[in-house]
Structures are given as C-alpha cells and as structure tokens.
C-alpha cells in the first residue's frame, strides 16, 4: 500500500513545489500504480485539504492505463478518513468523504460500463471501540446509500428516481489501532464489530510509528506482535479471514522497511498481509531498486504470526515505556525546537499543536512522528536507542528471541549515534556501546555535531541545511 507519509528527503520528479499536494498527489497515485507496481494507494482525507474528485482525475488523465488496470478490481484506492471522536474540527469532512464514494462509483461506471466500485474501503485512525467502526459502517448504509429511498416533499418520487441510484451498497471500514490499550484490545474490538455482520473478510491496520513515538521502539514492536497473534486467533475462532496491514516507514524507529530490507521486515511480522510503502521508500532510492522491492513485497505469502509470551512482553512494555518517557521528558524542549526547522513535504491544512494534530505523550506536546524522528536523528541521538539503558540481560535475551531484527535494527540506528553529544546520558552511551558493535557514519556524525553547534549559536540557516544533509546521508527524513 503506497501512502502519503512525508518521510522523504528527495522530491519526486513530478513535484511542482517542495510540498506535495493537490494534483501532485493525484499524479503520485498514478506513478505508484504504473511505475512502482503498488496495487493499492491510501488517499489521506485527514489533516489536509481533500480532493474528493481523485477518481475522476485519475480516469480522465490516465485513460489508457486505467482501461487496462481497473480501479476496484486490479488496483485499489483506500480512503483514510478523520475520526470524529478525536478530530472534532474535521468531523464533517468524514461525511463529505463518505458522500463522495457513490459519486466516484458513477464516474467509474461511465468509464468502464460495469458496476465495480473504485472505492469501497475506508481507514479509521485512532480507533478505540467497535462503536467507532460501526458508526461509519452504519452511517454509510443508512444515510449515504439509504437516502436514495427517501421521498421529496411527500411526493411519490424518490431521491434515486430523481438523481439516480447509489452504489456501492456497503463499504468496508478498516480500524487503525495506534495506542497501547487499543492495540492490546484490537482482537476484542474487531471481534465485537464483525459478530453481527456477514463479512467475507476484515482488514485491520496496526500502527508502528505513533506507538514508537509514544512508548519507544521496543514496546511498539511488542504491541504489534501481541496484536497480530490475537487477531490470528480471532480469525480462527470466527471463521472471518483477517488481513492485517502494518504502517511501516524507512527509519528503524518507524519500521525499517526500505528497498534493501524487505526480507528482514517481512520476517519480523509474519501474519501481516499488507505493508505500507511510504515516501522515503519511493523517492530516496533508485527507481529500479524500488520497483524490485515492491515486486518482492507483492510476491510474499502471508504466514501465521508467532505466539509471544504476553505476560513477559507486557511487563517489558511497561518498564521500557517508563524509561523512554523519562528520557523524552528531558529532551522535549530540544525536540520541539529542532522540529521547527524540519522541512515539510506535504501541504497540510492543520499544523503542529492545532486541533489535536500534535502528538501528546505523558502530558508533553510533541511533533508528529516523522518530524520527531528527524529532530532526534539530526542531533546524533536516534530515538531507537532511548530506553535501552533500562534493560537487563534477561530482558535483552527475551527480545532477541521474539524481536527477530533486534540487533540489526539497533545497528542500523547506531550508525548515526554520537555518544559524545551533550544530549546523551552516560548510561545510554554505555548501554549502546555494550550492545552494538557498528562502524559509525562519520559524515552524519560531523553533520549532527555542526547542527548542535548551530543550535547553540542560533544559526537558523545552518540548522535547516544541516537537517537536510543529515537526512540525505540516512536516505530518510524521519
């Protein structure tokens, strides 16, 4: 699943400005399908100006391609909608987006002559209850499609007779679980949602970036593994196939899925059916390498997730989160300061700190996950390492058993670690040097040192240029 997550350093050739938006993202969807080989594009209707005419634009601009590759059958467009329980100022955008689905169907029907809906699935972020998922499902059935049966002014004419019938009759709602309580209860929430519906399958989206930012990288991975195994048990119990999606980025902190780590990432998450392909994956590597990696992902078979000792894992999540949050508390001012210099790669209507779009952990306001990750890498302190100094030898051994790429992921991050940084506690420097034996990236270390110097002297231009130079060395912004 190609997504619009803005973790890229380099801009795609079709970008009109440094911030993708509007028609750039329509072209991006076509590019992901036609050039990269992705079968699915997530269309983000959350937190930015929304183009509800994306289907019409795709079909009219790239007619010959979509004649041979039909939306809804060969290729898929999946909408990520606002959650009205959390994002109140965006709540009515949800309704507008749901109303656009039948209109897109009409456009596709005129284009193809058949009745295959181009859009029939939506993603609900920050899901915390079965009611939140069901509200969207029922609203679409009762008020979007259901309105066609209503009569105008008491007359005999129905809305369907007036403006035509509404299709598809139903949509699939994909819950996205992002916080620890919801991820641990994902199977319970999904189980309750599916029990009164006749579903041929259910997709479930598990976050990887926001749990890492809120609890630390190790807890994020353990939470995903617990959720995956519980969802597998739910599918066996109910007979409803469940197809998990995992939201992974290029930074180890955010998933470590890059064109050169496909096999590693797939091995880490057996049971995952769909992996996200974010912007750094698409734009910060050579095209042939990206296409080959996407083909590798498309060719993978979904396997059964491994069982994990949950009691040990949950205890470790709690202990690690406490240590990680203590570290973040001391670094929050630095993170927020550096974050203001991280370049934006997407046009978003709402910015950090407005209407709930900032991420908050333990009462500390933090930027979004990509900016957060970029800020810490830029000063030589990869966030993957925070909290490691709280682990004892038995816990490290447990992690090596259940977290397949524990050592490899730490090595990937530690290349950009500067133990000489004034922001690194001695206990953390010792823990990292004891755990990881890796050749440091000297270029990145020098850039990070120059950024720290520029911060002290408030040389804003040097901070901005340094952040981009460091990101270029890593091949991801954050």
């Amino acid at each position: 699943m190609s997504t619009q997550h803005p973790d890229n350093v380099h801009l795609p050739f079709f970008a009109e400005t440094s911030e993708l938006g509007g028609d750039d993202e329509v072209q991006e969807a076509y590019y992901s399908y036609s050039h990269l080989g992705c079968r699915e594009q997530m269309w983000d209707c959350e937190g930015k100006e929304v183009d509800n005419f994306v289907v019409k634009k795709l079909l009219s601009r790239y007619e010959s391609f979509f004649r041979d590759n039909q939306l809804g059958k060969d290729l898929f467009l999946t909408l990520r909608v606002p959650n009205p329980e959390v994002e109140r100022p965006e709540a009515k955008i949800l309704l507008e987006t749901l109303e656009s689905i039948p209109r897109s169907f009409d456009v596709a029907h005129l284009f193809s002559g058949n009745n295959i809906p181009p859009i029939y699935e939506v993603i609900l972020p920050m899901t915390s209850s079965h009611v939140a998922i069901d509200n969207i499902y029922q609203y679409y059935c009762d008020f979007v499609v259901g309105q066609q049966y209503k009569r105008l002014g008491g007359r005999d004419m129905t809305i369907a007779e007036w403006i035509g019938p509404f299709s598809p009759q139903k949509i699939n709602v994909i819950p996205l679980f992002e916080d620890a309580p919801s991820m641990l209860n994902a199977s319970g929430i999904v189980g309750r949602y599916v029990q009164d519906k006749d579903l041929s399958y259910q997709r479930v989206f598990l976050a990887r970036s926001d749990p890492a930012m809120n609890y630390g990288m190790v807890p994020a991975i353990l939470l995903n593994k617990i959720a995956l195994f519980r969802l597998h048990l739910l599918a066996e119990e109910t007979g409803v196939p469940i197809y998990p999606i995992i939201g992974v980025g290029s930074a180890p902190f955010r998933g470590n899925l890059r064109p050169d780590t496909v096999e590693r990432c797939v091995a880490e998450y057996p049971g995952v059916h769909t992996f996200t392909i974010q912007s750094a994956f698409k734009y910060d590597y050579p095209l042939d390498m990206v296409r080959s990696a996407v083909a590798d992902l498309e060719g993978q078979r979904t396997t059964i997730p491994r069982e994990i000792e949950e009691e040990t894992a949950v205890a470790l999540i709690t202990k690690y989160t406490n240590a990680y949050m203590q570290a973040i508390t001391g670094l929050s001012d630095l993170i927020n300061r550096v974050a203001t210099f991280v370049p934006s790669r997407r046009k978003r209507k709402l910015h950090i700190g407005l209407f709930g779009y900032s991420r908050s952990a333990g009462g500390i306001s933090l930027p979004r996950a990509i900016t957060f990750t970029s800020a810490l890498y830029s000063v030589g302190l990869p966030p993957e390492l925070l909290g490691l100094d709280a682990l004892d030898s038995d816990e490290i051994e447990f992690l090596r058993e259940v977290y397949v790429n524990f050592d490899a992921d730490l090595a990937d991050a530690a290349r950009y670690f500067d133990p000489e940084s004034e922001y690194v506690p001695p206990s953390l420097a010792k823990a990292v040097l004891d755990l990881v034996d890796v050749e440091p990236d000297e270029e990145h270390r020098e850039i990070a040192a120059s950024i720290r110097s520029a911060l002290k002297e408030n040389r804003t231009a040097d901070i901005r240029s340094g952040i981009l130079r460091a990101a270029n060395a890593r091949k991801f912004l954050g």
Side-chain angles (χ1 to χ4, degrees):
M1 176 195 285
S2 167
T3 77
Q4 298 168 331
H5 289 82
D7 61 345
N8 52 306
V9 185
H10 299 95
L11 302 174
F13 68 90
F14 50 80
E16 294 185 1
T17 68
S18 62
E19 294 181 317
L20 266 69
D23 285 352
D24 283 339
E25 292 185 325
V26 175
Q27 186 165 354
E28 177 184 40
Y30 165 71
Y31 176 76
S32 297
Y33 295 138
S34 62
H35 288 65
L36 302 185
C38 295
R39 294 182 61 213
E40 183 172 18
Q41 173 70 48
M42 184 176 82
W43 192 256
D44 192 357
C45 304
E46 179 201 18
K48 62 185 180 62
E49 298 291 355
V50 182
D51 190 337
N52 282 328
F53 292 89
V54 56
V55 169
K56 182 177 182 180
K57 290 181 178 180
L58 285 171
L59 299 183
S60 61
R61 293 177 188 178
Y62 310 106
E63 179 179 352
S64 61
F65 176 79
F66 287 106
R67 292 281 181 203
D68 296 331
N69 303 273
Q70 186 167 1
L71 281 176
K73 177 186 176 185
D74 307 307
L75 304 170
F76 304 94
L77 188 67
T78 306
L79 308 181
R80 172 171 159 150
V81 299
N83 185 331
E85 296 181 1
V86 182
E87 304 158 281
R88 296 298 295 176
E90 298 282 276
K92 292 182 178 62
I93 290 177
L94 166 65
L95 308 188
E96 295 171 17
T97 303
L98 296 178
E99 293 280 358
S100 76
I101 293 175
R103 186 179 68 242
S104 294
F105 176 92
D106 291 346
V107 169
H109 174 71
L110 289 172
F111 181 83
S112 65
N114 61 34
N115 292 321
I116 295 174
I119 299 172
Y120 56 87
E121 293 188 321
V122 301
I123 299 164
L124 176 66
M126 295 174 274
T127 301
S128 59
S129 70
H130 75 274
V131 174
I133 318 170
D134 195 58
N135 282 345
I136 294 178
Y137 178 88
Q138 300 297 347
Y139 181 89
Y140 182 84
C141 292
D142 295 348
F143 295 99
V144 177
V145 173
Q147 67 182 309
Q148 66 185 311
Y149 306 111
K150 297 184 182 298
R151 300 183 183 278
L152 296 168
R155 297 186 293 274
D156 290 337
M157 178 183 290
T158 64
I159 291 177
E161 292 169 334
W162 180 41
I163 61 173
F166 287 63
S167 290
Q169 293 301 302
K170 296 179 180 179
I171 58 170
N172 299 331
V173 186
I174 305 169
L176 169 51
F177 297 107
E178 303 184 58
D179 64 81
S182 300
M183 294 178 79
L184 291 173
N185 193 32
S187 61
I189 293 170
V190 174
R192 176 62 183 85
Y193 171 70
V194 304
Q195 73 178 23
D196 59 352
K197 298 176 179 65
D198 182 20
L199 301 177
S200 57
Y201 69 91
Q202 176 66 42
R203 300 178 81 189
V204 178
F205 203 145
L206 299 174
R208 176 62 178 72
S209 291
D210 278 344
M213 198 187 79
N214 288 331
Y215 313 114
M217 183 180 73
V218 166
I221 289 165
L222 296 178
L223 286 167
N224 271 277
K225 289 178 179 290
I226 293 171
L228 284 168
F229 188 73
R230 290 181 177 179
L231 289 166
H232 165 69
L233 295 179
L234 174 67
E236 288 191 329
E237 176 188 334
T238 61
V240 178
I242 293 177
Y243 299 117
I245 308 164
I246 191 166
V248 282
S250 287
F253 189 68
R254 300 181 51 250
N256 212 10
L257 178 58
R258 311 186 306 265
D260 59 344
T261 61
V262 167
E263 296 298 330
R264 276 170 51 184
C265 198
V266 170
E268 191 66 68
Y269 300 105
V272 167
H273 189 76
T274 303
F275 292 83
T276 60
I277 300 297
Q278 301 185 4
S279 300
F281 189 112
K282 292 184 285 189
Y283 307 132
D284 290 338
Y285 293 85
L287 175 59
D288 288 347
M289 187 178 183
V290 175
R291 293 178 65 175
S292 177
V294 170
D296 285 348
L297 277 169
E298 288 286 0
Q300 297 288 336
R301 293 177 62 88
T302 306
T303 55
I304 296 174
R306 290 186 294 271
E307 187 172 5
I308 181 172
E309 173 46 57
E310 291 189 8
E311 186 176 350
T312 303
V314 171
L316 183 51
I317 287 169
T318 301
K319 178 180 178 180
Y320 199 108
T321 298
N322 290 336
Y324 170 82
M325 281 309 308
Q326 185 176 354
I328 290 299
T329 300
L331 292 166
S332 60
D333 289 344
L334 171 69
I335 293 167
N336 285 316
R337 185 182 174 202
V338 179
T340 62
F341 299 102
V342 175
S344 172
R345 289 294 185 245
R346 299 276 168 170
K347 292 178 180 176
R348 289 193 174 269
K349 180 171 59 177
L350 300 178
H351 299 284
I352 291 167
L354 294 180
F355 304 113
Y357 269 76
S358 64
R359 297 299 192 239
S360 180
I364 303 165
S365 291
L366 298 168
R368 295 175 71 94
I370 291 167
T371 307
F372 171 92
T373 305
S374 181
L376 284 169
Y377 263 99
S378 296
V379 296
L381 182 49
E384 294 85 345
L385 310 178
L386 298 176
L388 285 178
D389 46 346
L391 298 177
D392 61 33
S393 59
D394 289 341
E395 289 161 340
I396 291 169
E397 190 59 35
F398 172 76
L399 285 174
R400 285 183 167 137
E401 291 175 7
V402 301
Y403 175 2
V404 175
N405 295 310
F406 176 71
D407 291 302
D409 285 354
L410 289 185
D412 284 350
R415 285 187 178 89
Y416 308 110
F417 177 57
D418 186 355
E420 303 300 321
S421 168
E422 60 269 39
Y423 302 117
V424 176
S427 61
L428 180 61
K430 182 180 185 306
V432 174
L433 294 174
D434 287 347
L435 268 175
V436 187
D437 181 17
V438 66
E439 192 71 26
D441 186 310
E442 293 297 346
E443 178 191 8
H444 191 280
R445 184 175 287 191
E446 290 175 8
I447 296 169
S450 72
I451 292 171
R452 297 196 301 270
S453 175
L455 284 166
K456 290 177 183 176
E457 299 170 12
N458 202 30
R459 290 183 276 113
T460 58
D462 291 341
I463 299 169
R464 289 192 179 93
S465 64
I467 288 171
L468 276 175
R469 287 167 55 218
N472 186 58
R474 299 189 302 269
K475 290 185 166 52
F476 59 81
L477 183 63

